């Protein structure tokens, strides 16, 4: 069985490091719940080499960190995955990211190399107020994938989770709800086909 690479930036100097770590913790627990093995990497070992070298043995890369249109970076501003790094190991794989802007240029770059499916954002990823609604929403597609849902269902469940959390925040924290709407509108959820995205894990 292949496994999942879980990479995240929890360095104390990083803005929102606790949020990024919480998302990674959720990813790990979801793997455990679904009997799927995983490897994890975080600072001070979060770098391109430590992610890329293990990807041949992994079907999906989960990456939570700060990014821009061209890539995602570690606590020192060094590239983890970007349009300027060799990324052929993502051919036939999946990339699930919680990072700003990386759907703009990084996603087309990885898709051209044969990436099977991508989840990420084409604008900033914003967090405000209570973290849980933002974690639940950002992780909903990952949870659906690991449970065996195909891409269409996973996307539907993720959008539904966003809507549920937005509706709840409208009553308690309208400004946070606005930020969550922004994240939903920035979401890019792409898969080449309607098969189970983790089928190769079996």
């Amino acid at each position: 069985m292949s496994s999942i690479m879980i990479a995240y930036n929890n360095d104390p100097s990083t803005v929102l490091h606790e949020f990024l770590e919480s998302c990674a913790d959720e990813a790990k627990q979801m793997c455990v719940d679904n009997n799927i093995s995983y490897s994890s990497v975080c600072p001070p070992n979060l770098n391109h080499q430590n992610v890329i070298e293990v990807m041949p043995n992994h079907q999906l890369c989960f990456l939570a960190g700060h990014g821009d249109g061209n890539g995602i970076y570690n606590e020192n501003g060094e590239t983890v995955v970007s349009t300027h790094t060799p990324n052929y190991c993502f051919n036939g794989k999946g990339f699930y990211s919680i990072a700003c802007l990386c759907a703009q240029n990084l996603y087309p770059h990885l898709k051209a190399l044969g990436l099977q499916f991508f989840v990420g954002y084409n604008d900033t990823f914003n967090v405000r107020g209570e973290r849980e609604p933002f974690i639940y929403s950002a992780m909903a597609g990952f949870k659906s994938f690991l449970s065996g849902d195909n891409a269409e269902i996973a996307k539907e469940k993720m959008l539904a989770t966003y809507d549920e959390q937005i509706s709840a925040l409208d009553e308690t924290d309208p400004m946070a709800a606005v930020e969550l709407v922004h994240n939903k509108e920035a979401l890019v959820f792409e898969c080449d086909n309607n098969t189970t995205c983790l089928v190769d894990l079996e």
Side-chain angles (χ1 to χ4, degrees):
M1 174 183 287
S2 296
S3 64
I4 294 173
M5 162 54 66
I6 298 174
Y8 57 102
N9 184 359
N10 67 344
D11 186 87
S13 67
T14 299
V15 175
L16 291 175
H17 68 273
E18 292 179 344
F19 173 81
L20 298 172
E21 183 172 41
S22 294
C23 290
D25 287 344
E26 286 290 316
K28 294 175 186 177
Q29 187 60 53
M30 290 171 186
C31 287
V32 171
D33 292 344
N34 290 280
N35 195 31
I36 295 172
S37 63
Y38 68 86
S39 302
S40 66
V41 61
C42 62
N45 300 312
L46 180 62
N47 57 51
H48 177 72
Q49 182 178 7
N50 287 336
V51 172
I52 295 302
E53 282 191 350
V54 301
M55 276 311 296
N57 299 318
H58 295 68
Q59 183 61 21
L60 168 63
C61 179
F62 172 90
L63 184 49
H66 291 290
D68 60 24
N70 292 317
I72 302 174
Y73 308 90
N74 66 13
E75 73 279 11
N76 298 315
E78 300 165 341
T79 295
V80 178
V81 179
S82 84
T83 56
H84 305 296
T85 55
N87 299 309
Y88 295 100
C89 60
F90 286 106
N91 181 28
K93 307 297 178 72
F95 192 84
Y96 195 108
S97 58
I98 299 175
C100 294
L101 302 165
C102 60
Q104 291 184 351
N105 300 320
L106 181 59
Y107 166 54
H109 166 76
L110 294 177
K111 183 177 181 181
L113 297 176
L115 187 75
Q116 182 181 6
F117 71 92
F118 175 91
V119 178
Y121 298 84
N122 61 19
D123 204 338
T124 56
F125 182 94
N126 298 339
V127 179
R128 179 190 178 103
E130 292 295 324
R131 303 297 194 239
E132 285 76 9
F134 292 85
I135 295 171
Y136 295 153
S137 300
M139 296 303 298
F142 189 85
K143 180 178 181 179
S144 184
F145 279 142
L146 266 60
S147 71
D149 291 334
N150 64 33
E152 181 179 8
I153 293 174
K155 182 176 182 178
E156 290 175 356
K157 287 185 176 180
M158 190 170 188
L159 292 175
T161 300
Y162 263 107
D163 289 340
E164 291 164 3
Q165 297 300 319
I166 290 166
S167 179
L169 282 177
D170 275 335
E171 303 295 326
T172 60
D173 190 347
M175 294 303 294
V178 170
E179 301 293 1
L180 203 55
V181 168
H182 168 87
N183 292 350
K184 177 190 174 186
E185 292 177 346
L187 177 66
V188 174
F189 194 119
E190 297 290 341
C191 189
D192 286 343
N193 54 48
N194 197 34
T195 61
T196 302
C197 283
L198 294 181
V199 65
D200 290 337
L201 285 171
E202 300 302 327

